Each structure stands twice: as C-alpha cells, then as structure tokens.
Amino acid sequence: MHRIAHAISALPDNPALSARIAINGVAAICDPLGGLYLPDLDILVVSDLHLEKGSAFARRGMMLPPYDTLATLRILEAVIARHDPKTVISLGDNFHDRVGSALMPDQFRGMIETMARGREWIWINGNHDPDGTVGLPGTSADELRYAGLIFRHEPAKDATAGEIAGHLHPAATVTRREKRVRRACFATDSRRLIMPAFGVTTGGLDLRHKAMHGLFDRTSLVAHMLGRDRIYSVRFSNLLG
Amino acid sequence: MNQIDSATRPEMSLLLPPPFLRWFAEKGWQPRAHQLELLSRVQGGESMLLIAPTGAGKTLAGFLPSLVSLTERGKIPPGSAFTGIHTLYISPLKALAVDIERNLMKPVGDMGLPIRIENRTGDTPASKRQRQKINPPDILLTTPEQVALLLANGEAERFFKDLKYVVLDELHSLVTSKRGHLLSLGLARLRRLAPRMQAIGLSATVAAPMDLQRWLAPQREGENHHAGLITVTGGAKPNISILSTEERVPWAGHSANYAIGDIYRAIGETKTTLLFVNTRSQAERVFQELWTINDDNLPIALHHGSLDVGQRRKVEAAMAENRLRAVVATSTLDLGIDWGDVDMVIHVGAPKGASRLAQRIGRANHRMDEPSRAILVPANRFEVMECQAALDANYLGAQDTPPVGKGALDVLAQHVLGMACAEPFDPLELYAEITSASPYAALPWETFERIIDFVATGGYALRSYERYAKIRKTPEGRWRVSNPQIAQQYRLNIGTIIESPMLNVRLVKHNARGSLGRGGMVLGKVEEYFIEMLSPGDTFLFSGKVLRFEGIRESECLVSQGYKLDPKVPSYNGGKFPLSTYLAQQVRKMLADPARHKALPDQVRDWLSLQADLSMLPKEDELLIETFPRGSRHYMVIYAFEGRLAHQTLGMLLTRRLDRAGLKPLGFVATDYSLAIWGLEDLGVAFRNGRPRLSDLFDEDMLGDDLEAWLNESFLLKRTFRNCAVIAGLIDQRHPGKEKSGRQVTVSADLIYDVLRSHEPDHILLEATRNDASTGLLEIERLGDMLARIKGHITHRPLDRISPLAVPVMLEIGKESVNGDAQDFLLAEAADELFEDVTGEHHL
C-alpha cells in the first residue's frame, strides 16, 4: 500500500505511529503522511507540495496524469483532519511552476479553500514558485520567524538553530542483509529539520548526497522515515546496519 | 560454392546480366539454386521469405534482385529529376549494416556495377545524413530506428517513392520484439508510399514460417496474403555430443566448474573454439576458470554485451584473423559478424531452447556443407536431460522460436505520433494502413481511437489537457502536430530499446595516501541495480577480473583490482533465458519414460532410479508435489517444468493462497524445473486433510483476483510501466538540450504509476503494461496452460525426508536472496522484519 491509498484510510481518530521529537527545544510530531505538527504552537507544516506538476509537464508536451494535485490534496486533507491545526505553513515549491496556481482547475481551488476555512494559511515561496500564489486563501512570504523557529524553503548553509526547511526532498536508505529500502524522511539533528517532499510525484534525494553535506551534525542526525502507516526512526549511523 | 545441374543454366543466363555471369565465371563459382529461385520469384512480383542456415549465401541472395535491377536501370544521368532510394536494407545491428556494406562493395566493385551503396546509422554524421536526403544512394543500409526516423519526416514521401525492395536481415530475431512491431508499422507505411514495393525477408530456421510470411505482406481482413517461401535445409547434420566426463556432475548451480578441465582439453585439440554461455556472470566465471588452468597460455578471450565497445572490437578483429584459440561469449546477436574459421562450438549450460542451440551451432563452420562440431556441457543433472532433449530436437529439426505476438500498444502510440510528424493524417486511412501490418491486423478501431486520444492529450478521463494537445484535428478531420517542437522531441526519443540505467566501470588505483586516483581504464558498463546492492569493499567478477567496488563518483562506478580469488557477489544476472515450452515438454517425457534413461550418463540414471525408489517419477502430464520436513521447517516441492519465470509467478501466487489458508509460508525459490515453498506448518498434513485441497490451491482461478492483487503491488509492473511510458512518449528519455539520466526516469515513473493506478486504473497505458508483463516477465499464459493441463493430474507424495529430485531446488535456497528480478515480494517481507529491529522512539 502506498501513501495515496493510506491517506484514504487515515481518519482523524485513526491512531498512527508518529515520532515525537523536538527542534531547538520546540516539540514536534512527525506524521507518517508527511506533515510536521507542532502541538504547542498548533501549527502544521508541510513542504514541497509541487501542486499541478502534471499540468506543468503537459504544457511542455509530456502528458503526465492530471491526478497528482488531487492525490496530494487528499493526503493534505487527511493530515489536516488528523491534527486540526490553527495554522498551516506550506514551505515552498507549493506549485511546480510559476503559473501553476493561476491555472489550477476550480475543483482543486475549492478543496484548498475548504481546508483553509477557519485557519491561518501561510505560503512560503519556493524556487519553483517564487512569485507567491494567485487566487488562493492565505498569505505569501519568503520566510517566517516565530517562537524560536525559522520557516523557509531552502535550508541555509550556515546552520541556524531552529530552522525548518524543505527543498531537498530528503530520503534515507536502510540496508540490512544485502537488501535496501528507501523512503522519504524528516531529517533532523534536533537543531534544524528538513521536511520530506509532500507531493505525490516528487522524488527523493538521499541523505548521503553531497547537497546534504554540512547541513547536519551527523552524529545526532536521525532519519524519520515515512512507512506505510508509521514513522521508522533510524540514526544516520545505523542506516547501513 | 555448389555445382548446380546444367538444366538451370539457360535460365541463369536469362536471369543474370552479363557482368554477373562473367564475375561468377571468373571466380569459378556458380550461383546457388535458391539464389536464382529467389531472384526469379521476386522478378515475378512476389515478396519472399528465405530461410537458410548460416553460410548458405543468404546475403547475396537477398541483394541479387536489387543488384540486377539496378544494373539494368543503369546510372541516373546528372540533371535528371530527383530519384529516391531503390533498395532499403534493414538489420537489427548497426555493426551488421556496416559489415554488409563492406561485403557488398566487393562484388559490386569487381563487376564494375553503377550502384551507390551507403549506410545510415545513429553514428552517421549529420552532414552525411543531410546529403543522403538530398541525393539518396541506390541502396541504403540501416536499422529499424533509422527507418522510423526517415518515415516521421516531411520528405518521406519523396525519399521513398521509388523504393522497389526492402531487404530484412535476421528477420527471426526482429519480429518477436517491440522493435519488430515498430518495423512492421514502418513497412506498412513504406508500402503506402511505394505501393509496388516488395519485401525480402532473410531468416534462420523458425517454428512457424507462415507468421513471418504474413509479416512480410499486407494483411486484409478475410483475405490470406503472405510472402512466398524458399527454405534451404542445412547441408550436413551437425555433429553434437554431450560432454562425457569422469567428474561428478553437480546437483545444482550453473557454473559447470566441474567440466573446466575437459573444456580446456577440447580447446587444446581444436583450432578455434566458440564457447557459448547463457549469462554474463557465467561468461566471466568460465573465462576466469579457464585462465586459472591455462598452463599453455592459449589465447582465450572474452566477449559480452557489457564490455567496452573498443575491447569487443579488438576481440572480434583478433578472431577474424584467426589469432585466438577460443572466445567465451554470451549471445549470437552480439556476433552477427564474420567470425573467421570456427571449428567447434562448446555450449556451457543447457541451451534453454532448441532453435537457440541450432543458431549457435550454426556459428561453427561457415561452410554449410561440412558438419558443425558441437559439445554440450550441462551444468547440473537436470541440464543433462535438457541437453539430451535439445540434442534430439536438433536431429529432428524441431524448432521452438517464440511467436510473433500481438503488436504492443506503446509502440503503436509512438508510431501514430511519428506519422503526424510526417504529415497530417486521416484516422480512417491510418487505421487501414496500421491493420495491414500483421501484428496489428486484429487491432480494434476503439483501441486505435484511444491511442490517438492518448497521443493527443494523454487520454485521461479527466479531460484537462485539451489546450496542451500534442496533435490536433484540422477542420478537414486530419490530425497534425501542434508545433514543430513536438516533432523535434519525438525524433530525440524514437525507438523501443529502453536502456536500463548503466554506469561506466572505471578501474582506478589507490595513491600513496590511500585515497583514490583519477583516470584509469573504462572496462565496460553495468546496470545500476547491480551496483546499488554493492557496498564498498565488495568484490565481483567483471571483464575477466576480480574487482573491488570502491564507490560511485558522478555517473561512474569506481573499482580497483581485487586480489581475492573468490568474488563475494557472484550474481550478475544479465541475459538469462527461460526454458522453452518445447524443451520442458521433452524433459517431462524423458523423465516419465524409463527406456529413455538409458541414453543418459550413469550418474543421472542412478539419480532418477533412486527417485523412483524413494518417491516417484511423474508421468508426462502429471504434476508431482512432494512434501517433507527438514530442520525446523516444512517444504513442498512442485515439479512443474515451466521455466524459472513462470515458476516465480506461480510461487508468488501460491504463497498468497497458502497464507490465506493459514499455513504461514515463509518463502520460495524457483528454478527452471521446479519450485520449492517452505513454512512452519506441516503442509503434507494440511493437504492430506484437504485444508486446503491441492486441486483448489492449483485452480486456474488464481490467475484472476490473486494475480490482479499481486500485480498491483509488484515492482515488476512498475518497471514494465516505465518502459511502456517511455516508448509511448509519456515520459521522455531525452529532452532537447538536457539529457535526463536513466535514474530520474525511474523515480518519476514509479510515482506516476502510483498516481495513475489509484485514479484511472483502466488507462490505456496500464493496459499496455499489463499486456507486456503477462506475456514477458511473468509468463502468465504459459502458467495458465500448465494449470489447465494438470487439472485432475496432481499427485501428492508426502515424504519423511527430502527426495533425490528435490535436491537441486533445495540447494538454490539462500542463493536466490542476493538479487533477482522478481524479488519485491521477498523485499517487502524483509523490509517489514527489518523495520522491526530498527530502534527509535515511537508513540501513538
């Protein structure tokens, strides 16, 4: 069963095995659907939704299935329903390209409006969609600082404590007995955290990739991997077995 | 060359123009009867199929009609109106097209014929290709991909309008693949551009020549059109034997290490030996073992598809100059070229198919009138029977080449876009043209419409891409490409061969400080999936060396010289063939008939009679199932004889069913001959009590819901989907300006598959994917035939201990776990247990 199917069964009171962690001292819960919930602040963070990726490709002549937005939003609905947060922060690359939000079909716009009702919604701008969103609830920003945390799309090289970022689509590979399993993950060394990509057609980048170098203190780095219906937390040093 | 009787001579002088007669006379040769018959029937207007063994002068036969026709036409005077190409020669290999040019230029030069011959492959410089369009040669030698490219061009009509002959070489190897499907559609288009064009197919012996004859001719519903047939039977019967050895033939395995000494002696006794093996890893291993005992320093070389091209060319050149005593090689197709004088073929491992054996033996001795010599070296005891069956089949002339098969839908989608790139098409006309190609003769109109819809906008039920359509309907009802970039993109992505992502293997040295140096020789390429299972320090065999894996740098796999004799990771499963249905049936027959055991070596005969005493030998149509305990586990062994792929599928489905019956199966392993499943519950007792009944367990309904459920989770289907998506043009392999790495395609295709499957499970590309998987990787049809055959013929033999016949498959347990193609079931299982021992804090 993959994440799309799991989201359908993820009812609000359906218990899921999450991981309870802290970033720069702020409590957080890694949800296996790919969202990070900050209970003390009542904020839900998601990242790299890459909405309208299918149609972005279709505009360039590759007719990818037009169902990715729907599938991603369904999972978003499920994770919002589970935590019912006061605030939702989407950490950039919310849309796959600049025109995505303007050209999005009304059906999907409606789904987002329903989800945003009664909540504060913040769109952080990403490199794919630097100009903000068009015709959607919420406010756009390049960066947000709040309660000792910094929310931005691209992780800064000079690691600031309390940074929560996206952009890199971290994934981890566990190796045991000559077999490998690779999953998207929340990557954190307790000082900062990089979110897994939330969109259903987004790929992953391995934690060992050179783009990840220098971002974390590897001795305390933990990959909280998205399993079918739970989070599997593995220390970076234990990934190879 | 053969003498032909004088009765044919007057005919010959009528058929052949004077320069040809002079040339034959000067050489002291006579044209062969089949060459003249082909010429005369082609001149009479027929399309023809020539089936002949290697060395029968097939190539000259195929070109004779063109050479004669062009000689009679004479040189086109300068300043004449544009003349398109006269003859198109299509070969499955670039190298073969180049080789043929050389071979053909010789007689043409000798006779002073006014004929221009050129080749056009992916390696031909753009300037030459451009010139060929403006000033086409008389004979163009090329590959199927280039034909598709030429046809998708606006100038195709002009270029091909004068086409008289299409010569298709090695047709048997082309028609069964997706390349063959694409080519059949190209042929249909050529026929439209040049209605009087005739096709000439050249082929090795096949099981069903009529399939190829139809393939060469335009099909019409309710009519029977096919090319004429000329069959040249092989001169002398080959002299084949099974290696007789003093050594002990092992129960299981594929290495044939026991026979290395015998093989080495045989090489020493002949001038030049070709050693065929079934897989690249086998080739590496046999090569290494031979050199370990090569005290006489015989020049023995290695040749397989993963080696660096430069290295392969060196081996080929040395072979052509008779400088080598032996070459270890994997596939006949790697070697379509002239190989000098080969005295003997040694086949290590069972040949898996009777026709494959015949084609490989044909490599020995290009003079067709002398008998070829061949030795079969079975790697294990079951293979002894299989080799015997293949040998019998060879004397009977039995053939088991695969059927042509139904035309693939992804290929059709590619072709439809290509035709729109050439010129706006009328759907009714294009449908008539496409269904004139035999693989697509039964294509329903509705499917064709869905394909057009797919090409235009992806064919999704949610019709949101109309404004981005790649092809659009004009007011006149024709479909045309929306913009020129679409055509450019199409041209970059043409073809049906999807490369699995490959990495260069580069040999590097450790420098003084212990870190890795730069540079070093490239040894060849390996599939990324193989590298992914290696950890730094692992050793494996490649290019005849034990290599130590150091790591990956950019897109290269860095290795250093390994010194351990025993490589740690033996499995590099490139190119494994499944056992043919025909040979499987012959092995079952042999097993069931004690009289035929006499022909087998003592060791194998004793093994079978022990099996008869301790358990039983199944009858030809009987399915024997043994159950027995061993250690803390209970085993069932199923002797289905349907080949490894079909057994793997059966294993997946049976374990699902056993699991449902509460029998907790733990795993399974498949060989070409049998399947073993194990678990903690006593399967023997369960079957005896009818819980479940074996007839229910093996009911054909397993190919319904169970198959569907498993397929949907299967990694195999994702990989098949990726190939279909690239061929059909949903995903580009290459984008103008930026190369997409194979790896990126893999990642996104999997995710796209998940999205599509959960939102539009009936999408045409998923249909194409299921079609492909069920015929190719999963052998579902074969499994279905078997389940029907064994209905009411299942015999359960509960035993106290392992039986002799069960030993080979039991020895495979544990070996399979390294890597294989269809192991995602096991991987998922491992992943689950793996995550159990992962530590971390978890809270509800």
Side-chain angles (χ1 to χ4, degrees), chain A residues 1-5 15-20 53-68 70-71 74 103-105 107-108 174-183 199-204 210 224-225 227-228 230-235 238 240, chain B residues 454-462 464-465 467-470 486 489 531-535 554 568-569 713 729-732 735 740 743 747-748 751-752 754-760 817-818 826-828 830-844:
Chain A
M1 191 166 73
H2 50 92
R3 223 164 117 245
I4 301 171
L17 283 166
S18 309
R20 255 172 218 273
K53 182 170 177 176
S55 65
F57 275 87
R59 280 191 279 282
R60 295 172 185 82
M62 273 169 73
M63 303 294 162
L64 299 190
Y67 304 110
D68 58 308
L70 180 65
R74 286 261 162 82
L103 297 179
M104 180 163 70
Q107 180 203 352
F108 306 145
V174 170
T175 309
R176 291 290 187 283
R177 291 188 288 274
E178 296 179 338
K179 285 173 181 149
R180 286 172 180 225
V181 181
R182 189 178 135 108
R183 291 288 160 82
V200 294
T201 48
T202 50
K210 60 173 184 265
H224 300 279
M225 300 164 76
R228 292 175 191 199
R230 59 174 281 197
I231 292 284
Y232 299 97
S233 305
V234 187
R235 284 189 186 284
N238 284 343
L240 286 176
Chain B
F454 169 81
V455 172
T457 60
Y460 301 106
L462 185 75
S464 52
Y465 292 162
R467 58 192 150 162
Y468 311 129
K470 279 155 91 170
I486 304 281
Q489 214 168 312
I531 294 303
E532 280 196 328
M533 59 177 229
L534 298 179
S535 308
E554 279 137 30
K568 183 180 156 209
V569 184
E713 295 166 15
L730 181 72
I731 301 171
D732 289 343
H735 241 294
K740 215 171 184 226
R743 159 148 226 153
V747 171
S748 50
L751 298 169
I752 288 162
D754 283 340
V755 169
L756 190 52
R757 187 170 68 76
S758 50
H759 289 85
E760 196 171 340
S817 63
V818 181
L826 298 177
L827 187 68
D832 287 347
E833 71 192 43
L834 163 74
F835 285 125
E836 296 302 318
D837 42 52
V838 160
T839 53
E841 298 165 82
H842 295 111
H843 306 275
L844 279 178

Side-chain angles (χ1 to χ4, degrees), chain B residues 664-680:
Chain B
K664 303 190 186 72
L666 290 174
F668 72 89
V669 66
T671 70
D672 264 344
Y673 315 100
S674 57
L675 165 70
I677 300 178
W678 61 91
L680 295 170

Side-chain angles (χ1 to χ4, degrees), chain B residues 188-264:
Chain B
R189 171 51 59 108
L190 287 173
R191 235 179 250 119
R192 217 206 72 209
L193 300 176
R196 300 180 56 191
M197 176 273 278
Q198 289 164 257
I200 301 166
L202 310 175
S203 169
T205 314
V206 291
M210 186 47 86
D211 285 356
L212 268 63
Q213 288 170 259
R214 284 208 195 90
W215 194 96
L216 289 167
Q219 303 299 300
R220 291 271 171 280
E221 209 189 327
E223 297 171 29
N224 179 18
H225 292 285
H226 57 83
L229 174 68
I230 297 173
T231 308
V232 181
T233 46
K237 285 283 181 199
N239 175 3
I240 318 173
S241 58
I242 295 179
L243 180 84
S244 69
T245 181
E246 300 291 309
E247 308 289 334
R248 192 179 156 278
V249 182
W251 297 102
H254 301 281
S255 68
N257 276 356
Y258 77 94
I260 288 295
D262 295 305
I263 293 172
Y264 184 69

Side-chain angles (χ1 to χ4, degrees), chain B residues 278-291:
Chain B
N278 287 327
T279 67
R280 277 171 268 174
S281 66
Q282 247 177 340
E284 294 281 359
R285 193 168 273 271
V286 167
F287 177 75
Q288 196 203 26
E289 294 291 332
L290 282 173
W291 272 95

Side-chain angles (χ1 to χ4, degrees), chain A residues 206-220:
Chain A
D206 202 275
L207 281 182
R208 299 179 174 281
H209 192 277
K210 60 173 184 265
M212 304 276 182
H213 285 187
L215 292 178
F216 296 105
D217 167 15
R218 284 196 168 181
T219 54
S220 49

